[in-house]
Amino acid sequence: MNPNLAAFLYLVSGVLFILALRGLSSPATSRAGNRYGMIGMTIAVVTTLVSSQVWPGLDIITVFLIVLALGIGGGIGGVVAKRVPMTSMPQLVAAFHSLVGMAAVLVAFAALYSPDNYGIGTPGHLHAQSLIEMGLGVIIGAITFSGSIIAFAKLNGNMSGSPILLPARHLINIAIASVIVLLLVIFIASGGDALWAFWLATLLSFGIGITLIIPIGGADMPVVVSMLNSYSGWAAAGIGFTLQNTALIITGSLVGSSGAILSYIMCKGMNRSFISVILGGFGADAGDAAAAGGAREARPVKQGSADDAAFIMKNAGSVIIVPGYGMAVSQAQHALREMADFLKEEGVKVSYAIHPVAGRMPGHMNVLLAEASVPYDEVFELEDINSAFSQTDVVFVIGANDVTNPAAKTDKASPIYGMPILEVDKAKTVLFVKRGMSSGYAGVDNELFFRDNTMMLFGDAKKVTEEIVKAFGH
Amino acid sequence: MVDDFIFFLSIFVLAVFVGYYVVWSVTPALHTPLMAVTNAISSVIIVGAVIAIAVPGISSANWFSKILGFIAVVFAAVNIFGGFMVTSRMLAMYKKKEK
């Protein structure tokens, strides 16, 4: 195919990818957006197959290999996409990131070993510019791969979610990073001849991906997942420069900025700087402090039964439900919907309030509620619903803790001071579904538990909710 | 003549800005589908993998590239099919209140 026509078609698929993201501005247009994305991908793949770089090389073995690879990959992807439970979405996304990262590494190596096919020089005599792009692509790709594997293991429970702190971890990371930069300089200065430097830089990048992510704790995962999303985009863009492919450059920059924006939103939701999240260790020190101060935990709380909760909510005018990670863990969303349906039949106004960092990834709670067929116009973001709490009779907090803690507004010494919270303390009554009196991720006590208008419902989120639904029955 | 690099750099910089504004307009309720679909589209890196697979296999370096390309196509295909399918599965669940 004429290279100009191919370049034009890549541009078309890049534009379709922009429209795919644009569609997500509202649930109504999102499905059309997803279709644009699929069309864009089809155009990009077909264009590549008939391009002057691929078409002449398409002998029978090559065609067989491409079909086989697409079949294996498509089959695995399809089965996983169909089977994965919605609560495992954070792990799945982390796994997907790792694959993008690894694909970028593999393509960079292929370009290095067969540069003539990519039009970037001959072996040992590559254009300096391509060497830089390839080097950056491979380093970011490798970090994305190993970092995402660690994030996956933490989210999936193969690895403890608590921070793992190596001694002198910052020094180790700085040392590895400096060696990687040095190797990259050697590689570029050699004109692509020093293959060993490229290999070694790649291996060290896999290593630093691990050491960067292990000190970051479970509840900081929304930032990590978003950040790796961003990295996977920049890696793709880097490779896009090597291939001089506009579709890849456009997509890489879209994904790169998307991940960066999500990281920013998540950091703001926790009032933490991006740097402090990346340096890791949050929750580890605070956890020790809480354990040390465990003696003062013996303050009285008001404990209630499912029957009490059912009675209070049935007689309320309005109820706001605040879900958190605990709801995801116990898969309570379906029982919760049943409870809300019953309340609505009784004439109670029900809405849901979602904190930006509730759960383990951006939008985690929204997906779970959508899965349980909660209409999306009953679900509100923090800034849209916070003013409503003072006119609300009952708040039902299920599996959330730190995001409701008034200490974030009042206690300057608290590690969560300054974090935007859902102001559930302003409601007339607060019902807290919790497994026990343990503190939240930040390791701080929640003053709300001890208030007169708070009732604690101890137990598994799903079980408690089901008991409340049962209690409605009689 | 302007260097090719400057041409691609222009596209890159403009696309970063487009991405910035488009992603800010994504509703927070759809942030999880956003991440799934960005995974799918960033796997357009499959174009580079297909080029690697189609390298004429004469030298051993080229066979090495072919094998890398094969693995990369598998990985990218997992993401493309998995990413788009799981996104449409999620998006199908977002419903409005029945009136």
Side-chain angles (χ1 to χ4, degrees), chain A residues 22 31 48 81-82 84 96-97 100 114 118 129 246 251 362-363 375-376, chain B residues 5 11 25 32 38-39 41 47-48 52 56 62 65-66 79 89 91 95:
Chain A
R22 179 79 189 112
R31 286 174 275 261
T48 308
K82 274 224 165 70
V84 66
F96 279 166
H97 289 151
V100 178
S114 309
Y118 288 86
Q129 209 175 285
T246 38
T251 316
Y376 62 79
Chain B
F5 176 72
I11 292 180
S25 75
T32 298
T38 51
N39 265 311
I41 63 172
V47 302
N62 282 354
S65 301
K66 248 180 150 55
N79 257 357
R89 200 180 129 201
L91 293 178
K95 290 183 202 90

PDB file of all heavy atoms in Angstrom, chain A residues 22 31 48 81-82 84 96-97 100 114 118 129 246 251 362-363 375-376, chain B residues 5 11 25 32 38-39 41 47-48 52 56 62 65-66 79 89 91 95:
ATOM      1  N   ARG A  22     -13.853  10.111  24.161  1.00  0.00           N
ATOM      2  CA  ARG A  22     -14.839  11.188  24.229  1.00  0.00           C
ATOM      3  C   ARG A  22     -16.219  10.620  24.590  1.00  0.00           C
ATOM      4  O   ARG A  22     -16.988  11.226  25.325  1.00  0.00           O
ATOM      5  CB  ARG A  22     -14.901  11.901  22.873  1.00  0.00           C
ATOM      6  CG  ARG A  22     -15.888  13.022  22.773  1.00  0.00           C
ATOM      7  CD  ARG A  22     -15.339  14.275  23.424  1.00  0.00           C
ATOM      8  NE  ARG A  22     -16.374  15.289  23.506  1.00  0.00           N
ATOM      9  CZ  ARG A  22     -16.912  15.697  24.651  1.00  0.00           C
ATOM     10  NH1 ARG A  22     -16.500  15.205  25.785  1.00  0.00           N
ATOM     11  NH2 ARG A  22     -17.847  16.629  24.669  1.00  0.00           N
ATOM     12  N   ARG A  31     -21.323   3.552  24.836  1.00  0.00           N
ATOM     13  CA  ARG A  31     -21.309   2.318  24.036  1.00  0.00           C
ATOM     14  C   ARG A  31     -20.929   2.605  22.589  1.00  0.00           C
ATOM     15  O   ARG A  31     -20.171   1.856  21.973  1.00  0.00           O
ATOM     16  CB  ARG A  31     -22.656   1.607  24.134  1.00  0.00           C
ATOM     17  CG  ARG A  31     -22.841   0.941  25.488  1.00  0.00           C
ATOM     18  CD  ARG A  31     -24.217   0.352  25.666  1.00  0.00           C
ATOM     19  NE  ARG A  31     -25.158   1.351  26.143  1.00  0.00           N
ATOM     20  CZ  ARG A  31     -25.522   1.478  27.428  1.00  0.00           C
ATOM     21  NH1 ARG A  31     -25.027   0.667  28.332  1.00  0.00           N
ATOM     22  NH2 ARG A  31     -26.354   2.409  27.806  1.00  0.00           N
ATOM     23  N   THR A  48      -1.829  -2.184   8.692  1.00  0.00           N
ATOM     24  CA  THR A  48      -0.485  -2.731   8.879  1.00  0.00           C
ATOM     25  C   THR A  48      -0.268  -3.968   8.015  1.00  0.00           C
ATOM     26  O   THR A  48       0.782  -4.140   7.402  1.00  0.00           O
ATOM     27  CB  THR A  48      -0.281  -3.102  10.361  1.00  0.00           C
ATOM     28  OG1 THR A  48      -0.630  -1.980  11.151  1.00  0.00           O
ATOM     29  CG2 THR A  48       1.153  -3.484  10.638  1.00  0.00           C
ATOM     30  N   ALA A  81     -12.415 -11.801  29.674  1.00  0.00           N
ATOM     31  CA  ALA A  81     -13.364 -10.680  29.714  1.00  0.00           C
ATOM     32  C   ALA A  81     -14.768 -11.154  30.078  1.00  0.00           C
ATOM     33  O   ALA A  81     -15.521 -10.459  30.755  1.00  0.00           O
ATOM     34  CB  ALA A  81     -13.389  -9.967  28.360  1.00  0.00           C
ATOM     35  N   LYS A  82     -15.135 -12.350  29.630  1.00  0.00           N
ATOM     36  CA  LYS A  82     -16.473 -12.878  29.910  1.00  0.00           C
ATOM     37  C   LYS A  82     -16.598 -13.338  31.350  1.00  0.00           C
ATOM     38  O   LYS A  82     -17.639 -13.199  31.973  1.00  0.00           O
ATOM     39  CB  LYS A  82     -16.751 -14.079  28.996  1.00  0.00           C
ATOM     40  CG  LYS A  82     -17.315 -13.702  27.653  1.00  0.00           C
ATOM     41  CD  LYS A  82     -18.482 -14.647  27.307  1.00  0.00           C
ATOM     42  CE  LYS A  82     -19.300 -14.104  26.158  1.00  0.00           C
ATOM     43  NZ  LYS A  82     -18.532 -14.170  24.897  1.00  0.00           N
ATOM     44  N   VAL A  84     -14.476 -12.776  34.174  1.00  0.00           N
ATOM     45  CA  VAL A  84     -13.946 -12.064  35.343  1.00  0.00           C
ATOM     46  C   VAL A  84     -15.080 -11.411  36.138  1.00  0.00           C
ATOM     47  O   VAL A  84     -15.958 -10.767  35.564  1.00  0.00           O
ATOM     48  CB  VAL A  84     -12.895 -11.014  34.914  1.00  0.00           C
ATOM     49  CG1 VAL A  84     -13.530  -9.906  34.102  1.00  0.00           C
ATOM     50  CG2 VAL A  84     -12.186 -10.437  36.113  1.00  0.00           C
ATOM     51  N   PHE A  96      -3.652  -6.282  32.454  1.00  0.00           N
ATOM     52  CA  PHE A  96      -3.650  -5.721  31.100  1.00  0.00           C
ATOM     53  C   PHE A  96      -2.485  -4.743  30.926  1.00  0.00           C
ATOM     54  O   PHE A  96      -1.812  -4.740  29.903  1.00  0.00           O
ATOM     55  CB  PHE A  96      -4.971  -5.001  30.811  1.00  0.00           C
ATOM     56  CG  PHE A  96      -6.101  -5.911  30.420  1.00  0.00           C
ATOM     57  CD1 PHE A  96      -7.417  -5.449  30.407  1.00  0.00           C
ATOM     58  CD2 PHE A  96      -5.876  -7.230  30.053  1.00  0.00           C
ATOM     59  CE1 PHE A  96      -8.462  -6.277  30.041  1.00  0.00           C
ATOM     60  CE2 PHE A  96      -6.918  -8.063  29.685  1.00  0.00           C
ATOM     61  CZ  PHE A  96      -8.222  -7.580  29.681  1.00  0.00           C
ATOM     62  N   HIS A  97      -2.254  -3.897  31.954  1.00  0.00           N
ATOM     63  CA  HIS A  97      -1.140  -2.952  31.870  1.00  0.00           C
ATOM     64  C   HIS A  97       0.166  -3.681  31.662  1.00  0.00           C
ATOM     65  O   HIS A  97       1.017  -3.261  30.875  1.00  0.00           O
ATOM     66  CB  HIS A  97      -1.010  -2.135  33.161  1.00  0.00           C
ATOM     67  CG  HIS A  97      -2.096  -1.138  33.345  1.00  0.00           C
ATOM     68  ND1 HIS A  97      -2.517  -0.743  34.577  1.00  0.00           N
ATOM     69  CD2 HIS A  97      -2.829  -0.457  32.461  1.00  0.00           C
ATOM     70  CE1 HIS A  97      -3.477   0.143  34.436  1.00  0.00           C
ATOM     71  NE2 HIS A  97      -3.685   0.331  33.165  1.00  0.00           N
ATOM     72  N   VAL A 100       0.673  -4.680  28.051  1.00  0.00           N
ATOM     73  CA  VAL A 100       1.061  -3.571  27.169  1.00  0.00           C
ATOM     74  C   VAL A 100       2.542  -3.277  27.346  1.00  0.00           C
ATOM     75  O   VAL A 100       3.293  -3.103  26.373  1.00  0.00           O
ATOM     76  CB  VAL A 100       0.242  -2.294  27.474  1.00  0.00           C
ATOM     77  CG1 VAL A 100       0.708  -1.146  26.577  1.00  0.00           C
ATOM     78  CG2 VAL A 100      -1.231  -2.522  27.288  1.00  0.00           C
ATOM     79  N   SER A 114      16.103  -6.257  14.031  1.00  0.00           N
ATOM     80  CA  SER A 114      15.827  -6.193  12.583  1.00  0.00           C
ATOM     81  C   SER A 114      15.487  -4.772  12.170  1.00  0.00           C
ATOM     82  O   SER A 114      14.387  -4.500  11.702  1.00  0.00           O
ATOM     83  CB  SER A 114      14.654  -7.108  12.239  1.00  0.00           C
ATOM     84  OG  SER A 114      14.852  -8.393  12.753  1.00  0.00           O
ATOM     85  N   TYR A 118      12.108  -2.008   9.992  1.00  0.00           N
ATOM     86  CA  TYR A 118      11.370  -0.888  10.572  1.00  0.00           C
ATOM     87  C   TYR A 118      11.804   0.426   9.933  1.00  0.00           C
ATOM     88  O   TYR A 118      11.337   1.488  10.312  1.00  0.00           O
ATOM     89  CB  TYR A 118      11.589  -0.842  12.083  1.00  0.00           C
ATOM     90  CG  TYR A 118      10.872  -1.946  12.824  1.00  0.00           C
ATOM     91  CD1 TYR A 118      11.438  -3.194  12.984  1.00  0.00           C
ATOM     92  CD2 TYR A 118       9.606  -1.719  13.365  1.00  0.00           C
ATOM     93  CE1 TYR A 118      10.781  -4.200  13.664  1.00  0.00           C
ATOM     94  CE2 TYR A 118       8.934  -2.716  14.044  1.00  0.00           C
ATOM     95  CZ  TYR A 118       9.533  -3.954  14.186  1.00  0.00           C
ATOM     96  OH  TYR A 118       8.862  -4.939  14.864  1.00  0.00           O
ATOM     97  N   GLN A 129      18.376   9.037  16.862  1.00  0.00           N
ATOM     98  CA  GLN A 129      17.052   9.392  17.351  1.00  0.00           C
ATOM     99  C   GLN A 129      16.229   8.149  17.676  1.00  0.00           C
ATOM    100  O   GLN A 129      15.600   8.063  18.728  1.00  0.00           O
ATOM    101  CB  GLN A 129      16.392  10.106  16.193  1.00  0.00           C
ATOM    102  CG  GLN A 129      15.397  11.118  16.510  1.00  0.00           C
ATOM    103  CD  GLN A 129      15.049  11.718  15.157  1.00  0.00           C
ATOM    104  OE1 GLN A 129      15.823  12.480  14.587  1.00  0.00           O
ATOM    105  NE2 GLN A 129      13.936  11.291  14.629  1.00  0.00           N
ATOM    106  N   THR A 246       1.545   7.246  13.415  1.00  0.00           N
ATOM    107  CA  THR A 246       0.727   8.266  14.088  1.00  0.00           C
ATOM    108  C   THR A 246      -0.334   7.652  15.000  1.00  0.00           C
ATOM    109  O   THR A 246      -0.615   8.198  16.058  1.00  0.00           O
ATOM    110  CB  THR A 246       0.023   9.185  13.071  1.00  0.00           C
ATOM    111  OG1 THR A 246      -0.392   8.395  11.973  1.00  0.00           O
ATOM    112  CG2 THR A 246       0.938  10.270  12.603  1.00  0.00           C
ATOM    113  N   THR A 251      -2.426   7.449  20.315  1.00  0.00           N
ATOM    114  CA  THR A 251      -2.979   6.619  21.380  1.00  0.00           C
ATOM    115  C   THR A 251      -2.120   6.676  22.632  1.00  0.00           C
ATOM    116  O   THR A 251      -2.622   6.822  23.737  1.00  0.00           O
ATOM    117  CB  THR A 251      -3.054   5.160  20.921  1.00  0.00           C
ATOM    118  OG1 THR A 251      -3.559   5.143  19.610  1.00  0.00           O
ATOM    119  CG2 THR A 251      -3.940   4.365  21.819  1.00  0.00           C
ATOM    120  N   PRO A 362      -9.944   3.856  40.302  1.00  0.00           N
ATOM    121  CA  PRO A 362     -10.911   4.912  40.007  1.00  0.00           C
ATOM    122  C   PRO A 362     -12.219   4.323  39.482  1.00  0.00           C
ATOM    123  O   PRO A 362     -12.207   3.463  38.600  1.00  0.00           O
ATOM    124  CB  PRO A 362     -10.211   5.735  38.916  1.00  0.00           C
ATOM    125  CG  PRO A 362      -8.764   5.413  39.029  1.00  0.00           C
ATOM    126  CD  PRO A 362      -8.677   4.025  39.571  1.00  0.00           C
ATOM    127  N   GLY A 363     -13.342   4.755  40.052  1.00  0.00           N
ATOM    128  CA  GLY A 363     -14.647   4.320  39.555  1.00  0.00           C
ATOM    129  C   GLY A 363     -15.044   2.907  39.947  1.00  0.00           C
ATOM    130  O   GLY A 363     -16.055   2.384  39.477  1.00  0.00           O
ATOM    131  N   PRO A 375     -29.463   2.259  39.228  1.00  0.00           N
ATOM    132  CA  PRO A 375     -29.472   3.257  38.152  1.00  0.00           C
ATOM    133  C   PRO A 375     -28.402   4.315  38.411  1.00  0.00           C
ATOM    134  O   PRO A 375     -28.241   4.754  39.544  1.00  0.00           O
ATOM    135  CB  PRO A 375     -30.856   3.894  38.247  1.00  0.00           C
ATOM    136  CG  PRO A 375     -31.663   3.018  39.129  1.00  0.00           C
ATOM    137  CD  PRO A 375     -30.727   2.248  39.997  1.00  0.00           C
ATOM    138  N   TYR A 376     -27.669   4.725  37.346  1.00  0.00           N
ATOM    139  CA  TYR A 376     -26.540   5.625  37.590  1.00  0.00           C
ATOM    140  C   TYR A 376     -26.966   7.017  37.990  1.00  0.00           C
ATOM    141  O   TYR A 376     -26.173   7.786  38.504  1.00  0.00           O
ATOM    142  CB  TYR A 376     -25.555   5.634  36.420  1.00  0.00           C
ATOM    143  CG  TYR A 376     -26.098   6.123  35.097  1.00  0.00           C
ATOM    144  CD1 TYR A 376     -26.247   7.477  34.850  1.00  0.00           C
ATOM    145  CD2 TYR A 376     -26.453   5.211  34.095  1.00  0.00           C
ATOM    146  CE1 TYR A 376     -26.734   7.927  33.637  1.00  0.00           C
ATOM    147  CE2 TYR A 376     -26.946   5.655  32.889  1.00  0.00           C
ATOM    148  CZ  TYR A 376     -27.089   7.009  32.661  1.00  0.00           C
ATOM    149  OH  TYR A 376     -27.571   7.450  31.466  1.00  0.00           O
TER     150      TYR A 376
ATOM    151  N   PHE B   5      11.090  13.884  12.613  1.00  0.00           N
ATOM    152  CA  PHE B   5      10.915  13.846  14.062  1.00  0.00           C
ATOM    153  C   PHE B   5      10.036  14.991  14.560  1.00  0.00           C
ATOM    154  O   PHE B   5       9.162  14.799  15.400  1.00  0.00           O
ATOM    155  CB  PHE B   5      12.281  13.886  14.750  1.00  0.00           C
ATOM    156  CG  PHE B   5      12.183  13.951  16.238  1.00  0.00           C
ATOM    157  CD1 PHE B   5      11.783  12.831  16.970  1.00  0.00           C
ATOM    158  CD2 PHE B   5      12.449  15.126  16.920  1.00  0.00           C
ATOM    159  CE1 PHE B   5      11.672  12.886  18.348  1.00  0.00           C
ATOM    160  CE2 PHE B   5      12.345  15.193  18.295  1.00  0.00           C
ATOM    161  CZ  PHE B   5      11.954  14.068  19.015  1.00  0.00           C
ATOM    162  N   ILE B  11       2.581  16.010  16.414  1.00  0.00           N
ATOM    163  CA  ILE B  11       1.398  15.173  16.642  1.00  0.00           C
ATOM    164  C   ILE B  11       1.322  14.760  18.102  1.00  0.00           C
ATOM    165  O   ILE B  11       0.279  14.847  18.751  1.00  0.00           O
ATOM    166  CB  ILE B  11       1.458  13.920  15.747  1.00  0.00           C
ATOM    167  CG1 ILE B  11       1.303  14.329  14.290  1.00  0.00           C
ATOM    168  CG2 ILE B  11       0.382  12.916  16.152  1.00  0.00           C
ATOM    169  CD1 ILE B  11       1.348  13.183  13.330  1.00  0.00           C
ATOM    170  N   SER B  25     -13.192  15.421  30.651  1.00  0.00           N
ATOM    171  CA  SER B  25     -14.638  15.434  30.446  1.00  0.00           C
ATOM    172  C   SER B  25     -15.257  14.055  30.678  1.00  0.00           C
ATOM    173  O   SER B  25     -16.472  13.904  30.607  1.00  0.00           O
ATOM    174  CB  SER B  25     -14.967  15.932  29.034  1.00  0.00           C
ATOM    175  OG  SER B  25     -14.674  14.926  28.103  1.00  0.00           O
ATOM    176  N   THR B  32     -13.500   3.419  35.652  1.00  0.00           N
ATOM    177  CA  THR B  32     -13.030   2.036  35.478  1.00  0.00           C
ATOM    178  C   THR B  32     -13.118   1.593  34.009  1.00  0.00           C
ATOM    179  O   THR B  32     -12.127   1.095  33.465  1.00  0.00           O
ATOM    180  CB  THR B  32     -13.783   1.079  36.411  1.00  0.00           C
ATOM    181  OG1 THR B  32     -13.524   1.466  37.758  1.00  0.00           O
ATOM    182  CG2 THR B  32     -13.313  -0.352  36.224  1.00  0.00           C
ATOM    183  N   THR B  38      -8.606   2.221  27.703  1.00  0.00           N
ATOM    184  CA  THR B  38      -7.286   2.753  27.358  1.00  0.00           C
ATOM    185  C   THR B  38      -6.294   1.595  27.203  1.00  0.00           C
ATOM    186  O   THR B  38      -5.388   1.654  26.373  1.00  0.00           O
ATOM    187  CB  THR B  38      -6.744   3.747  28.412  1.00  0.00           C
ATOM    188  OG1 THR B  38      -6.828   3.159  29.692  1.00  0.00           O
ATOM    189  CG2 THR B  38      -7.479   5.042  28.380  1.00  0.00           C
ATOM    190  N   ASN B  39      -6.491   0.541  27.994  1.00  0.00           N
ATOM    191  CA  ASN B  39      -5.665  -0.652  27.812  1.00  0.00           C
ATOM    192  C   ASN B  39      -5.832  -1.223  26.424  1.00  0.00           C
ATOM    193  O   ASN B  39      -4.867  -1.603  25.773  1.00  0.00           O
ATOM    194  CB  ASN B  39      -6.097  -1.736  28.797  1.00  0.00           C
ATOM    195  CG  ASN B  39      -5.256  -1.707  30.020  1.00  0.00           C
ATOM    196  OD1 ASN B  39      -4.063  -1.675  29.922  1.00  0.00           O
ATOM    197  ND2 ASN B  39      -5.890  -1.708  31.167  1.00  0.00           N
ATOM    198  N   ILE B  41      -6.932   0.259  23.665  1.00  0.00           N
ATOM    199  CA  ILE B  41      -6.421   1.058  22.548  1.00  0.00           C
ATOM    200  C   ILE B  41      -4.899   1.181  22.578  1.00  0.00           C
ATOM    201  O   ILE B  41      -4.273   1.242  21.536  1.00  0.00           O
ATOM    202  CB  ILE B  41      -7.100   2.449  22.414  1.00  0.00           C
ATOM    203  CG1 ILE B  41      -6.854   3.327  23.614  1.00  0.00           C
ATOM    204  CG2 ILE B  41      -8.590   2.310  22.141  1.00  0.00           C
ATOM    205  CD1 ILE B  41      -7.343   4.762  23.422  1.00  0.00           C
ATOM    206  N   VAL B  47       0.613  -3.162  15.946  1.00  0.00           N
ATOM    207  CA  VAL B  47       1.122  -2.886  14.590  1.00  0.00           C
ATOM    208  C   VAL B  47       2.634  -3.118  14.532  1.00  0.00           C
ATOM    209  O   VAL B  47       3.149  -3.673  13.565  1.00  0.00           O
ATOM    210  CB  VAL B  47       0.752  -1.460  14.088  1.00  0.00           C
ATOM    211  CG1 VAL B  47      -0.742  -1.236  14.079  1.00  0.00           C
ATOM    212  CG2 VAL B  47       1.451  -0.389  14.897  1.00  0.00           C
ATOM    213  N   GLY B  48       3.331  -2.736  15.611  1.00  0.00           N
ATOM    214  CA  GLY B  48       4.768  -2.975  15.653  1.00  0.00           C
ATOM    215  C   GLY B  48       5.086  -4.455  15.754  1.00  0.00           C
ATOM    216  O   GLY B  48       6.067  -4.942  15.191  1.00  0.00           O
ATOM    217  N   ALA B  52       7.158  -7.102  13.167  1.00  0.00           N
ATOM    218  CA  ALA B  52       8.217  -8.013  13.618  1.00  0.00           C
ATOM    219  C   ALA B  52       7.956  -9.440  13.154  1.00  0.00           C
ATOM    220  O   ALA B  52       8.863 -10.154  12.735  1.00  0.00           O
ATOM    221  CB  ALA B  52       8.324  -7.965  15.144  1.00  0.00           C
ATOM    222  N   PRO B  56      11.279 -11.029   7.054  1.00  0.00           N
ATOM    223  CA  PRO B  56      11.666 -12.208   6.285  1.00  0.00           C
ATOM    224  C   PRO B  56      12.690 -13.026   7.074  1.00  0.00           C
ATOM    225  O   PRO B  56      13.712 -12.508   7.489  1.00  0.00           O
ATOM    226  CB  PRO B  56      12.288 -11.630   5.017  1.00  0.00           C
ATOM    227  CG  PRO B  56      11.881 -10.203   4.982  1.00  0.00           C
ATOM    228  CD  PRO B  56      11.617  -9.774   6.381  1.00  0.00           C
ATOM    229  N   ASN B  62      16.744 -12.199  12.498  1.00  0.00           N
ATOM    230  CA  ASN B  62      15.381 -12.018  12.026  1.00  0.00           C
ATOM    231  C   ASN B  62      14.431 -13.056  12.622  1.00  0.00           C
ATOM    232  O   ASN B  62      13.275 -12.759  12.902  1.00  0.00           O
ATOM    233  CB  ASN B  62      15.345 -12.064  10.507  1.00  0.00           C
ATOM    234  CG  ASN B  62      15.817 -10.746   9.907  1.00  0.00           C
ATOM    235  OD1 ASN B  62      16.057  -9.793  10.650  1.00  0.00           O
ATOM    236  ND2 ASN B  62      15.962 -10.701   8.606  1.00  0.00           N
ATOM    237  N   SER B  65      13.543 -11.834  15.948  1.00  0.00           N
ATOM    238  CA  SER B  65      12.502 -10.804  15.864  1.00  0.00           C
ATOM    239  C   SER B  65      11.135 -11.425  15.625  1.00  0.00           C
ATOM    240  O   SER B  65      10.124 -10.991  16.177  1.00  0.00           O
ATOM    241  CB  SER B  65      12.808  -9.825  14.732  1.00  0.00           C
ATOM    242  OG  SER B  65      14.044  -9.218  14.956  1.00  0.00           O
ATOM    243  N   LYS B  66      11.113 -12.454  14.765  1.00  0.00           N
ATOM    244  CA  LYS B  66       9.838 -13.119  14.459  1.00  0.00           C
ATOM    245  C   LYS B  66       9.208 -13.704  15.722  1.00  0.00           C
ATOM    246  O   LYS B  66       8.011 -13.576  15.955  1.00  0.00           O
ATOM    247  CB  LYS B  66      10.090 -14.257  13.464  1.00  0.00           C
ATOM    248  CG  LYS B  66       9.509 -14.028  12.070  1.00  0.00           C
ATOM    249  CD  LYS B  66       9.823 -15.235  11.195  1.00  0.00           C
ATOM    250  CE  LYS B  66       8.781 -15.466  10.140  1.00  0.00           C
ATOM    251  NZ  LYS B  66       8.496 -14.343   9.251  1.00  0.00           N
ATOM    252  N   ASN B  79      -5.096  -8.143  25.173  1.00  0.00           N
ATOM    253  CA  ASN B  79      -5.543  -6.839  25.622  1.00  0.00           C
ATOM    254  C   ASN B  79      -6.627  -6.246  24.745  1.00  0.00           C
ATOM    255  O   ASN B  79      -7.565  -5.628  25.228  1.00  0.00           O
ATOM    256  CB  ASN B  79      -4.355  -5.884  25.587  1.00  0.00           C
ATOM    257  CG  ASN B  79      -3.821  -5.657  26.956  1.00  0.00           C
ATOM    258  OD1 ASN B  79      -4.369  -6.169  27.909  1.00  0.00           O
ATOM    259  ND2 ASN B  79      -2.767  -4.897  27.056  1.00  0.00           N
ATOM    260  N   ARG B  89     -18.912  -5.037  28.311  1.00  0.00           N
ATOM    261  CA  ARG B  89     -19.677  -5.724  29.358  1.00  0.00           C
ATOM    262  C   ARG B  89     -20.006  -4.749  30.496  1.00  0.00           C
ATOM    263  O   ARG B  89     -21.132  -4.716  30.997  1.00  0.00           O
ATOM    264  CB  ARG B  89     -18.843  -6.886  29.897  1.00  0.00           C
ATOM    265  CG  ARG B  89     -19.660  -7.942  30.610  1.00  0.00           C
ATOM    266  CD  ARG B  89     -18.777  -9.058  31.118  1.00  0.00           C
ATOM    267  NE  ARG B  89     -19.034  -9.306  32.517  1.00  0.00           N
ATOM    268  CZ  ARG B  89     -18.184  -9.920  33.337  1.00  0.00           C
ATOM    269  NH1 ARG B  89     -17.027 -10.349  32.900  1.00  0.00           N
ATOM    270  NH2 ARG B  89     -18.506 -10.113  34.588  1.00  0.00           N
ATOM    271  N   LEU B  91     -20.062  -1.366  30.293  1.00  0.00           N
ATOM    272  CA  LEU B  91     -20.918  -0.260  29.856  1.00  0.00           C
ATOM    273  C   LEU B  91     -22.367  -0.704  29.724  1.00  0.00           C
ATOM    274  O   LEU B  91     -23.294   0.074  29.954  1.00  0.00           O
ATOM    275  CB  LEU B  91     -20.413   0.299  28.521  1.00  0.00           C
ATOM    276  CG  LEU B  91     -19.052   0.991  28.604  1.00  0.00           C
ATOM    277  CD1 LEU B  91     -18.612   1.461  27.235  1.00  0.00           C
ATOM    278  CD2 LEU B  91     -19.096   2.156  29.580  1.00  0.00           C
ATOM    279  N   LYS B  95     -27.296   1.666  33.670  1.00  0.00           N
ATOM    280  CA  LYS B  95     -28.666   1.948  33.222  1.00  0.00           C
ATOM    281  C   LYS B  95     -29.233   3.142  33.957  1.00  0.00           C
ATOM    282  O   LYS B  95     -28.853   3.440  35.076  1.00  0.00           O
ATOM    283  CB  LYS B  95     -29.556   0.726  33.482  1.00  0.00           C
ATOM    284  CG  LYS B  95     -29.221  -0.426  32.570  1.00  0.00           C
ATOM    285  CD  LYS B  95     -30.173  -1.585  32.821  1.00  0.00           C
ATOM    286  CE  LYS B  95     -29.546  -2.877  32.351  1.00  0.00           C
ATOM    287  NZ  LYS B  95     -28.758  -3.546  33.422  1.00  0.00           N
TER     288      LYS B  95
END
